[in-house]
Amino acid sequence: VRRRAARFAGISTITVLLYLVVFMRSEFVFLEAFSTDAEIGLYSISFAAMSALMKVPDTVAIVIAPAFATLLGAGQWDRIRSGYSRMARLLPVVTFPLTALGIVLGPELVNLVYGDEYSGVGPVLVVMLATLPVVAYAGVCEATLLALERQRPIVLGLTVGTLVNIVLNLVLVPPYDAVGAAAANGVAQITATVPMYLAAGRLAGPIV
């Protein structure tokens, strides 16, 4: 048990470091190097809005991990599959309306709160919000895999996502500033989610 716990903790440390690059907006580093303070400000406002909208999916993921781990210990795979399927079906009900509302109302709300001089936030926010449903799935898939002690797909997805993130930031940030950073991060997040989604589906799926 101690060996398993130590291995789990070691891999989790690597996962956290990769997660910081892919999901915690490492684009600020590239914006500082290749863009202006104004573009960093636009990106910061968009990041804050996106973080607020992610609270609901993040809460779901936090609940899933310990619940599924308990069911795994009890050998209740049927309940794990049922719970995963239910969460996977309910997430679009929450995330798609949030995405639509954010895309339609987000830029206008930013202009209302910060003023017209921050109108540049709108395109950045829209690009970020386009990935919201996928990012929400990433949290659920990652929590499921952690609970079932299957960390390899998480590390694989985040490693590939990190490489994609770095390359796209180098390519897109210099010409497109904050919009390019948002696009780079969105593609990286989708890339990182695919291995986790496939692995979680094999273990806890299918979604019915």
Side-chain angles (χ1 to χ4, degrees):
V1 173
R2 291 175 181 172
R3 189 179 299 111
R4 288 172 64 188
R7 179 176 178 274
F8 186 91
I11 297 175
S12 295
T13 301
I14 298 172
T15 300
V16 169
L17 296 176
L18 295 172
Y19 186 90
L20 290 174
V21 177
V22 179
F23 288 95
M24 295 306 292
R25 308 301 176 184
S26 58
E27 285 67 35
F28 287 113
V29 175
F30 295 93
L31 286 170
E32 184 177 6
F34 300 113
S35 191
T36 64
D37 290 342
E39 292 294 325
I40 293 175
L42 297 179
Y43 197 87
S44 298
I45 295 172
S46 301
F47 173 57
M50 182 71 171
S51 297
L53 290 175
M54 279 297 299
K55 290 300 181 183
V56 173
D58 285 346
T59 301
V60 172
I62 290 171
V63 172
I64 285 177
F68 281 6
T70 301
L71 293 174
L72 177 66
Q76 297 184 5
W77 276 95
D78 289 342
R79 293 183 63 185
I80 292 174
R81 293 189 178 96
S82 175
Y84 175 80
S85 180
R86 187 177 298 111
M87 289 296 177
R89 284 185 281 109
L90 288 176
L91 268 179
V93 177
V94 176
T95 56
F96 280 107
L98 278 177
T99 302
L101 285 173
I103 291 174
V104 174
L105 300 179
E108 297 300 326
L109 288 175
V110 169
N111 290 344
L112 180 64
V113 173
Y114 292 96
D116 292 337
E117 61 269 25
Y118 287 89
S119 59
V121 172
V124 183
L125 181 59
V126 168
V127 172
M128 284 187 182
L129 288 172
T131 65
L132 179 59
V134 177
V135 177
Y137 263 116
V140 171
C141 295
E142 182 181 2
T144 300
L145 293 170
L146 284 174
L148 302 181
E149 296 186 89
R150 300 294 194 276
Q151 294 169 285
R152 185 176 298 176
I154 301 174
V155 175
L156 172 62
L158 291 175
T159 300
V160 176
T162 296
L163 295 175
V164 170
N165 199 27
I166 293 172
V167 171
L168 289 182
N169 271 296
L170 291 172
V171 172
L172 297 178
V173 170
Y176 300 109
D177 299 311
V179 173
N185 190 247
V187 174
Q189 289 181 352
I190 293 172
T191 302
T193 301
V194 171
M196 292 188 279
Y197 176 79
L198 294 176
R202 286 195 300 268
L203 289 169
I207 300 172
V208 295

